[in-house]
Amino acid sequence: MALSRTAHIVTAYGEELDQLADDLARMGGLVETQLEKAIAAVVRRDASIKPDIKAREAQVNALQVDIEKRVLRLFALRQPLATDLRMTISALKIASDLERVGDLAKNIAYRAGDLAGYAPLPLTQQVERLGAIVIKQLREVLDAQSSADIEPAVRVWHSDDEVDERYNTLVREMLLAMTEDSGLVGPGVHILFVAKNLERIGDHATNIAEAVHFMVTASPLVDDGHS
Amino acid sequence: MTDASHNPAELPIKVAARDVTVSYSGKQALHNVSIDIPDRSVTAFIGPSGCGKSTFLRCLNRMNDTIEGAKVGGSLTIDGREINDKSIDPVVLRASVGMVFQKPNPFPKSIYDNVAYGPRIHGLALSRPELDEIVENALRKAGLWDEVSDRLAHPGTSLSGGQQQRLVIARAIAVNPEVILMDEPCSALDPIATARIEELIDELRENYCIIIVTHSMQQAARVSQQTAFFHMGNLVEYGPTEDIFTNPRDSRTQDYITGRFG
Ligand SMILES: Nc1ncnc2c1ncn2[C@@H]1O[C@H](COP(=O)(O)OP(=O)(O)OP(=O)(O)O)[C@@H](O)[C@H]1O
Ligand SMILES: [Mg+2]
């Protein structure tokens, strides 16, 4: 069921819903970029990104506040129903997940700064790979939200297992590397935190997938055991 | 959000319509409406103006009989009894199927006589003490007793709009109805008077089958357990109120309740 964006009889109401959707899309875009930059900075062990990430985080937080205000206003003044109700509720949930993702991306960027003094590290490629998967998840689930399409949302939801697996492997290998070379303990801990943050972001992408599923179908996304 | 005590599936069916059609002077206003309405709960009828809500409501107490050129077809039963049967006296039927209209319409009589009117003509009360008791009970059930007990001889029309509407409900209750039909009962009332009627409806549903036509989605959502959506003389969708307002199946329902062009 596609959400018709302009068909409301009360034009201003339709516009308010559109603005909510636009805010959410903007917030998603910002968070995506933030995450991309943070991961790239980790790969380069680059501290220079910190101020940029900080500024973006402020924007993300402001957008979340804005979205909360819009949702409150819609409930108080328009009493949205059916798809509009579900879209509004999901926007609120997704915005709070995105805010958390933004926060985790900021943590990742800060770890990039902590890595600045070190020589190239083993397992960097694996971190980059994990990051690429999580970014893809985030992008797909946000696209699913804006096009009200459950198929990619369900796919993202199922792909969380792969993220967890890669994360566990990375932790195991890093611990092994650290036992073999105690000089890796310092930077290795930073890498472990980065990986942990990425894994958490994957969980938020899963939450967003559930919100999209609810928005489109009005039913929760549960494991049907055969897909 | 399951509330087993009010699960319509567990409630016995009070009103059953099968292929009910109505036409006015040959122009069809209702097309093959089939619906099961459970007892002891509130069912809301919603839909755009002219979609046939009042027409269907009027079938339930045979008010269409009184309209020149109106023709009713199909089957309509209350407790399994066909109400269009020749053996049913519409006047008796209307005692068991009470009706409350959009505009409060107390008779130009005292508060007491408004409520006593039905029991008197239906011979439900013989002695004055019996009648007093019926009047008091009905006014209590309608949540009006405390406000009017000291002025029962005053004209019904001297009450406020909200009080008049509760008086009309008391009048309907006084004859022991089984079904209460309400056609936009709050559209002339302020939010406080509306809230009191809604609270009353919620109390009454313990004992009656209530059907309410309303143009307010919020009211339908607040007071009813089932909602039926009518569109151009058709019953388009019928289900638990919560489902209709969170996840309507039909795009016409969706467009209507979300305020979109259909
Ligand atoms: N007494 C009548 N004579 C002729 N046509 C009628 C009569 N009553 C209703 N109709 C027609 O039947 C159709 C359904 O009308 P009805 O009053 O049942 O609609 P409704 O859903 O109650 O609308 P509203 O929300 O405006 O009260 C309309 O086309 C109306 O013009
Ligand atoms: Mg009507």
Side-chain angles (χ1 to χ4, degrees):
Chain A
M1 178 167 32
L3 299 172
S4 48
R5 291 192 27 131
T6 51
H8 285 87
I9 295 163
V10 178
T11 317
Y13 175 30
E15 283 168 2
E16 283 167 32
L17 287 167
D18 288 351
Q19 284 157 359
L20 176 63
D22 291 346
D23 261 10
L24 194 65
R26 196 135 32 90
M27 189 178 180
L30 267 171
V31 168
E32 251 179 65
T33 314
Q34 218 177 356
L35 183 58
E36 273 168 7
K37 292 197 166 192
I39 293 165
V42 167
V43 172
R44 293 194 312 270
R45 301 183 310 288
D46 176 5
S48 71
I49 188 187
K50 246 171 125 166
D52 180 60
I53 285 277
K54 247 190 150 134
R56 266 175 213 280
E57 215 222 350
Q59 281 179 52
V60 168
N61 291 345
L63 271 170
Q64 194 205 3
V65 171
D66 204 42
I67 286 169
E68 282 178 357
K69 271 193 199 148
R70 285 190 192 283
V71 170
L72 195 69
R73 204 184 129 82
L74 278 162
F75 280 135
L77 306 184
R78 305 288 186 191
Q79 292 103 39
L81 288 171
T83 52
D84 297 335
L85 173 61
R86 305 201 306 268
M87 184 279 197
T88 308
I89 287 273
S90 324
L92 191 64
K93 282 180 146 178
I94 293 171
S96 110
D97 276 303
L98 286 176
E99 188 274 332
R100 296 295 307 134
V101 173
D103 209 40
L104 293 165
K106 182 195 68 183
N107 291 349
I108 293 173
Y110 283 16
R111 295 284 169 181
D114 295 331
L115 288 169
Y118 293 97
L121 287 160
L123 297 170
T124 303
Q125 249 186 355
Q126 280 89 326
V127 173
E128 196 176 6
R129 183 81 200 107
L130 182 61
I133 292 171
V134 170
I135 287 171
K136 184 162 171 277
Q137 278 191 326
L138 199 60
R139 183 170 304 141
E140 281 186 357
V141 83
L142 290 173
D143 286 349
Q145 194 280 333
S146 63
S147 58
D149 190 359
I150 53 163
E151 199 259 320
V154 173
R155 194 161 5 98
V156 166
W157 194 74
H158 283 293
S159 68
D160 193 50
D161 289 348
E162 189 198 344
V163 171
D164 290 346
E165 230 163 81
R166 280 182 185 271
Y167 166 70
N168 290 329
T169 308
L170 209 158
V171 169
R172 231 173 16 246
E173 286 176 7
M174 183 53 84
L175 288 178
L176 209 63
M178 285 176 359
T179 30
E180 274 167 14
D181 176 0
S182 64
L184 281 178
V185 170
V189 164
H190 294 311
I191 289 289
L192 285 177
F193 272 110
V194 168
K196 180 70 204 165
N197 286 335
L198 288 174
E199 185 267 335
R200 290 291 303 136
I201 292 172
D203 291 343
H204 287 291
T206 308
N207 289 348
I208 296 173
E210 287 169 5
V212 171
H213 191 273
F214 172 76
M215 175 183 87
V216 178
T217 67
S219 61
L221 180 49
V222 287
D223 208 335
D224 55 13
H226 50 75
S227 49
Chain B
M1 253 189 276
T2 43
D3 182 358
S5 65
H6 297 118
N7 180 356
E10 290 178 8
L11 295 165
I13 300 304
K14 186 78 185 175
V15 177
R18 291 294 175 272
D19 286 320
V20 168
T21 57
V22 177
S23 59
Y24 297 106
S25 312
K27 195 175 161 284
Q28 202 162 346
L30 218 53
H31 305 268
N32 301 78
V33 171
S34 297
I35 188 170
D36 284 336
I37 297 172
D39 202 2
R40 290 164 206 282
S41 69
V42 180
T43 302
F45 288 176
I46 60 168
S49 222
C51 68
K53 306 178 295 291
S54 299
T55 296
F56 186 59
L57 219 55
R58 282 197 297 267
C59 292
L60 301 175
N61 63 356
R62 287 184 53 181
M63 290 255 289
N64 285 314
D65 291 12
T66 64
I67 295 174
E68 181 80 16
K71 245 191 143 96
V72 180
S75 151
L76 239 171
T77 61
I78 295 179
D79 286 331
R81 280 186 70 196
E82 180 60 52
I83 66 164
N84 288 314
D85 203 275
K86 292 277 177 286
S87 66
I88 300 278
D89 176 355
V91 175
V92 175
L93 174 70
R94 279 170 213 146
S96 65
V97 184
M99 178 113 176
V100 176
F101 295 89
Q102 175 172 8
K103 277 214 205 88
N105 58 345
F107 302 140
K109 292 170 185 290
S110 70
I111 293 170
Y112 184 97
D113 286 339
N114 259 281
V115 183
Y117 178 82
R120 274 189 185 125
I121 63 160
H122 291 290
L124 291 178
L126 303 169
S127 67
R128 180 72 193 203
E130 272 178 310
L131 198 55
D132 285 353
E133 198 186 320
I134 290 177
V135 169
E136 178 174 341
N137 271 339
L139 285 168
R140 279 192 190 281
K141 279 191 200 155
L144 195 58
W145 176 253
D146 293 341
E147 287 159 66
V148 301
S149 60
D150 59 347
R151 46 172 167 149
L152 294 175
H154 290 214
T157 48
S158 67
L159 298 171
S160 75
Q163 288 173 325
Q164 287 186 25
Q165 202 59 306
R166 279 180 280 144
L167 178 62
V168 172
I169 293 172
R171 191 176 70 194
I173 293 171
V175 291
N176 274 326
E178 297 174 38
V179 179
I180 302 176
L181 311 175
M182 300 186 175
D183 200 345
E184 301 176 50
C186 300
S187 58
L189 305 182
D190 74 44
I192 301 293
T194 297
R196 300 202 58 173
I197 298 285
E198 289 178 359
E199 170 64 11
L200 175 59
I201 291 172
D202 201 50
E203 286 166 12
L204 293 177
R205 83 175 149 101
E206 302 267 321
N207 299 306
Y208 303 97
C209 168
I210 297 173
I211 304 171
I212 178 173
V213 169
T214 174
H215 278 130
S216 157
M217 303 302 140
Q218 276 68 36
Q219 179 165 65
R222 286 190 301 260
V223 301
S224 73
Q225 287 71 55
Q226 298 79 235
T227 296
F229 172 66
F230 288 81
H231 184 74
M232 292 168 68
N234 294 296
L235 172 62
V236 168
E237 190 165 351
Y238 174 53
T241 297
E242 194 178 319
D243 293 355
I244 299 288
F245 288 106
T246 58
N247 188 25
R249 306 279 149 184
D250 193 284
S251 64
R252 288 166 290 179
T253 319
Q254 163 89 357
D255 287 342
Y256 181 71
I257 68 170
T258 61
R260 286 174 164 85
F261 291 106

